[in-house]
Structure formats: C-alpha cells, structure tokens
Amino acid sequence: MISILFFAQLQESMGQAQMEVPLEGKTVAEVKAWLEKEYPLLSLGQVMTAVNEEFARDQTIVNEGDQVAFIPPISGG
C-alpha cells in the first residue's frame, strides 16, 4: 500500500486529506492516471508531486509504504 496526500483544493475535491491505495510498483504518472479514472472530477495535470517529501517526476517509481503528495499550484495576490 501507498499513502496519498491531497492538499488545498485537491483535498476539497476529494473530501479527504489522505487515502491508502495498493499501487506500489507503479510510476507517479500511473498513480495519477488511476486516480483520475477512479475520481473523474479530479484533475492532476498541473500539480506538483512529492514522494516521501521530495519532489518527484512522473517517471518516479512508488514503492510499498511510500507517501505520495499532490500539491496544486498556488496563486495569490
């Protein structure tokens, strides 16, 4: 299992801050694709991703027990 963390409007869209899913061995891109398929209103195209608190690319492999965080772009004024 891996832990997925959602921040800001992603957390609001999901109705939860964290979930556990059996996607170990997948790439970050595959995790994003699975989430968007399971939750069609979720859009992860412009988000930053961190694996175990380090920024990660779509090609990064997610291992058992990893924590994957999705962080949307921040805008302010």
Side-chain angles (χ1 to χ4, degrees):
M1 296 291 272
I2 64 169
S3 296
I4 298 179
L5 303 177
F6 301 101
F7 289 91
Q9 67 262 35
L10 296 176
Q11 180 177 343
E12 293 173 20
S13 294
M14 291 297 294
Q16 58 188 347
Q18 181 175 348
M19 67 188 317
E20 302 276 328
V21 294
L23 296 175
E24 60 277 347
K26 304 289 187 195
T27 65
V28 167
E30 290 171 319
V31 172
K32 286 181 182 179
W34 182 87
L35 284 166
E36 289 179 329
K37 180 181 175 203
E38 293 294 313
Y39 304 93
L41 297 178
L42 186 65
S43 177
L44 299 173
Q46 298 294 320
V47 301
M48 294 180 69
T49 306
V51 175
N52 298 327
E53 299 181 7
E54 293 188 21
F55 288 112
R57 298 177 184 253
D58 280 349
Q59 309 89 304
T60 302
I61 301 290
V62 181
N63 297 305
E64 174 74 29
D66 281 353
Q67 183 181 72
V68 180
F70 293 111
I71 308 156
I74 304 297
S75 62

